[in-house]
Amino acid sequence: MNTESLTLAWGAYLAGALGLMIVWWHMTAAVKRDWLRPLLRVFMAALLLCPYSIGEDYTQMAPAILMVLMETIFEGGEAFNRVGPTLLGVVGAALVVTVVCQLIWRQRRRKAEQDRQLQQAHDSLVKEAHTQP
């Protein structure tokens, strides 16, 4: 496969993946849990965008999800063992990073809210002290 057709194939795949992500984004907007929505979105992005080598002695890459589907359909369930662990590892790592980022973001948001409340209390005390004779 030449470089031009490979680039065209990846371009078409990424355009389709972008379309799927837009649909998925709108579908997950209805999820009520604030912590679950980003996890579902990252899960789908990692699943769709993870590349994998098409085989030994080849430098070309293909979407891992397509590799898993094609090998499982045409070679049977044991073929999942070649690409599956890598795909699951990438998805798992993406989910772990998302959870850690969410925890850090929530902690910073709590601290900012506490700082805001502390500043309001301080301002209130200063104002009260200035109004008393």
Side-chain angles (χ1 to χ4, degrees), residues 1 6 10 49-71 75 79-87 90:
M1 181 178 258
L6 183 65
W10 266 105
L49 300 177
C50 176
Y52 195 81
S53 173
I54 62 172
E56 293 180 25
D57 302 326
Y58 292 99
T59 59
Q60 292 92 357
M61 304 287 270
I65 188 70
L66 293 180
M67 294 290 296
V68 166
L69 291 173
M70 296 297 287
E71 288 186 3
E75 297 178 20
F80 177 81
N81 295 334
R82 186 173 89 83
V83 182
T86 301
L87 181 60
V90 167

Side-chain angles (χ1 to χ4, degrees), residues 6-116:
L6 183 65
T7 304
L8 184 62
W10 266 105
Y13 176 79
L14 290 175
L18 177 63
L20 287 172
M21 285 302 303
I22 290 170
V23 170
W24 187 248
W25 189 277
H26 288 293
M27 288 174 62
T28 57
V31 173
K32 301 292 185 215
R33 307 268 189 239
D34 288 340
W35 59 269
L36 182 59
R37 195 176 315 115
L39 287 174
L40 291 171
R41 291 172 177 170
V42 166
F43 170 78
M44 185 59 74
L47 199 65
L48 289 173
L49 300 177
C50 176
Y52 195 81
S53 173
I54 62 172
E56 293 180 25
D57 302 326
Y58 292 99
T59 59
Q60 292 92 357
M61 304 287 270
I65 188 70
L66 293 180
M67 294 290 296
V68 166
L69 291 173
M70 296 297 287
E71 288 186 3
T72 302
I73 290 170
F74 292 114
E75 297 178 20
E78 298 84 36
F80 177 81
N81 295 334
R82 186 173 89 83
V83 182
T86 301
L87 181 60
L88 293 176
V90 167
V91 168
L95 292 176
V96 167
V97 168
T98 302
V99 168
V100 169
C101 288
Q102 281 184 319
L103 291 173
I104 291 170
W105 180 72
R106 280 195 178 138
Q107 182 65 26
R108 286 183 179 174
R109 200 172 73 197
R110 277 191 201 119
K111 184 177 180 338
E113 179 62 25
Q114 289 171 348
D115 289 347
R116 188 187 63 76

